[in-house]
Amino acid sequence: MAGAKDTTVLDHSEPGVQRRQMISLIIPVFNEEDSIRLFLEQTSKALDPLGDDLDVEYLFVNDGSRDATERVILACRDDWPQIALVNLSRNFGKEAALSAGLNHARGDAAIPIDVDLQDPPEVIVDMVARWRDGAKVVNARRARRDADTWAKRISAGLFYRLFNALADYPIPTGVGDFRLLDREVVDAICALGERSRFNKALFSWVGFETIEVEYDRPARAAGETQWSYWKLWKLALDGIFAASTTPLRIWTYIGLTMAVGSLLYSAFLFFRTLLFGVDTPGYASTVILILIFGGMNMFALGIIGEYVGRIYTEVRQRPLYIVRSYHQQGVDDAGRGGG
């Protein structure tokens, strides 16, 4: 393949020694005991075409599961020794779990992927081919979302349009976490220090040469989704407020418009009173104005509060996650601190 990357790289731990390239599949899991083995069986089969010249690391990040997820993953190491497992001390959320996976990934490229097989592993072969042709980021775009409910499709479309209208660095529509990131991109993302993270926005912010592949999103293969509409709503707010200060800027303009309008209306009332005297006081109009401006003030304060809350989170400097234990072939640690 013209322009393709060499499939071996220098192993810096042993000067002059070459090793095969490796990709790390980053798989955040939370109460997914029924999906683990099915995911490994189908993914390893889908990646057979890459087996001759590429190693694969299955890096599971157990985000505080309360079922048998951890035991199932450890039991699967007998059949898949390339499994690595990061156990977090509690449920920190998918964004933190994904960050933990990026920090622990050992591959020359990393691919975040869902364990429910809604991210088809067959697409990875095409993604790796584009990466070897020189792309640093290969986004997987959902061509269709027929497996999602109509409410989820509509809300997702509205979110992408709203986010990209407000954000300084738009995110590609229809692209989730499922993408390939070159080691250079992974290192750049891991160097970012914010605690309130929305990884899709960070993936766009770091830049690098990016191309896309398309796929149809199927239904879950097993288990039930852990994403309620409330969690999706909170994620959407985190994404908007973490990626842009435009909402604050909008209220600057709204405040300016309201101030100019109030000044003009006050001047109108003043001169009308001088010319025509005082009207009978209007209770309804007064109450309406108070309610409108009071409601707008509370809404503006709410937006300011969202940013102040995130400032508080950043100032505390708490780790994004805490690792309870780490398991890799030949390595079993009690813990590797936080991130």
Side-chain angles (χ1 to χ4, degrees):
M1 184 182 297
K5 291 186 178 180
D6 187 3
T7 58
T8 59
V9 295
L10 286 176
D11 187 343
H12 298 293
S13 62
E14 298 182 36
V17 177
Q18 289 188 328
R19 62 173 176 83
R20 298 202 307 175
Q21 286 182 316
M22 176 192 289
I23 59 171
S24 296
L25 302 187
I26 300 174
I27 313 149
V29 288
F30 177 64
N31 295 341
E32 293 283 3
E33 60 181 355
D34 296 330
S35 304
I36 304 298
R37 183 166 288 274
L38 180 62
F39 169 83
L40 289 167
E41 291 172 349
Q42 295 199 17
T43 302
S44 58
K45 181 179 179 180
L47 299 185
D48 277 344
L50 302 176
D52 294 336
D53 58 359
L54 190 71
D55 292 327
V56 178
E57 175 189 36
Y58 297 98
L59 177 58
F60 288 91
V61 182
N62 178 24
D63 190 20
S65 296
R66 294 185 292 269
D67 62 0
T69 294
E70 179 180 356
R71 294 194 297 275
V72 172
I73 294 173
L74 293 176
C76 287
R77 292 199 298 174
D78 294 336
D79 297 319
W80 291 275
Q82 63 271 47
I83 286 177
L85 171 62
V86 178
N87 284 310
L88 303 187
S89 62
R90 64 169 175 83
N91 180 249
F92 286 89
K94 186 179 180 182
E95 298 301 304
L98 179 53
S99 298
L102 291 170
N103 285 327
H104 286 80
R106 297 178 296 128
D108 302 290
I111 302 177
I113 184 171
D114 288 340
V115 74
D116 56 17
L117 293 173
Q118 287 193 288
D119 298 332
E122 294 80 10
V123 181
I124 295 175
V125 177
D126 194 14
M127 296 167 75
V128 170
R130 304 297 180 90
W131 170 57
R132 285 177 167 172
D133 283 340
K136 294 292 186 180
V137 179
V138 184
N139 290 335
R141 180 190 294 273
R142 300 158 184 163
R144 294 188 305 171
R145 304 182 61 148
D146 295 343
D148 293 339
T149 64
W150 67 269
K152 190 171 183 180
R153 290 197 298 270
I154 292 174
S155 60
L158 290 174
F159 167 74
Y160 280 111
R161 284 194 290 272
L162 177 61
F163 182 93
N164 288 335
L166 298 176
D168 298 326
Y169 300 92
I171 59 177
T173 303
V175 178
D177 294 323
F178 187 36
R179 66 189 75 199
L180 183 147
L181 306 169
D182 183 81
R183 167 51 57 183
E184 187 177 359
V185 181
V186 172
D187 290 342
I189 294 170
C190 291
L192 302 177
E194 58 256 51
R195 267 64 177 170
S196 297
R197 296 176 79 92
F198 182 60
N199 286 297
K200 296 181 186 66
L202 298 183
F203 297 156
S204 296
W205 184 86
V206 295
F208 294 98
E209 181 183 352
T210 302
I211 61 174
E212 292 183 349
V213 296
E214 287 193 345
Y215 71 98
D216 293 333
R217 186 171 175 83
R220 284 181 64 96
E224 296 181 358
T225 180
Q226 303 299 321
W227 285 99
S228 64
Y229 284 106
W230 175 245
K231 288 182 178 180
L232 290 171
W233 168 252
K234 292 196 296 183
L235 179 63
L237 290 182
D238 284 339
I240 291 172
F241 293 127
S244 174
T245 58
T246 301
L248 288 175
R249 192 174 303 120
I250 288 174
W251 277 98
T252 300
Y253 297 136
I254 291 176
L256 179 61
T257 302
M258 291 171 61
V260 172
S262 299
L263 180 62
L264 293 176
Y265 186 60
S266 299
F268 167 75
L269 291 177
F270 176 77
F271 288 109
R272 192 183 68 168
T273 301
L274 288 178
L275 295 175
F276 304 106
V278 179
D279 288 341
T280 301
Y283 173 78
S285 60
T286 302
V287 171
I288 289 172
L289 288 174
I290 291 174
L291 291 176
I292 290 175
F293 284 99
M296 294 180 71
N297 282 331
M298 294 300 294
F299 184 56
L301 286 173
I303 290 180
I304 295 173
E306 290 286 344
Y307 283 100
V308 171
R310 282 157 180 78
I311 293 171
Y312 179 58
T313 299
E314 298 294 333
V315 169
R316 285 186 299 183
Q317 292 290 296
R318 290 182 181 177
L320 186 61
Y321 57 86
I322 297 174
V323 176
R324 173 169 57 83
S325 63
Y326 175 75
H327 304 271
Q328 178 197 324
Q329 187 177 17
V331 178
D332 286 311
D333 291 341
R336 299 182 66 177

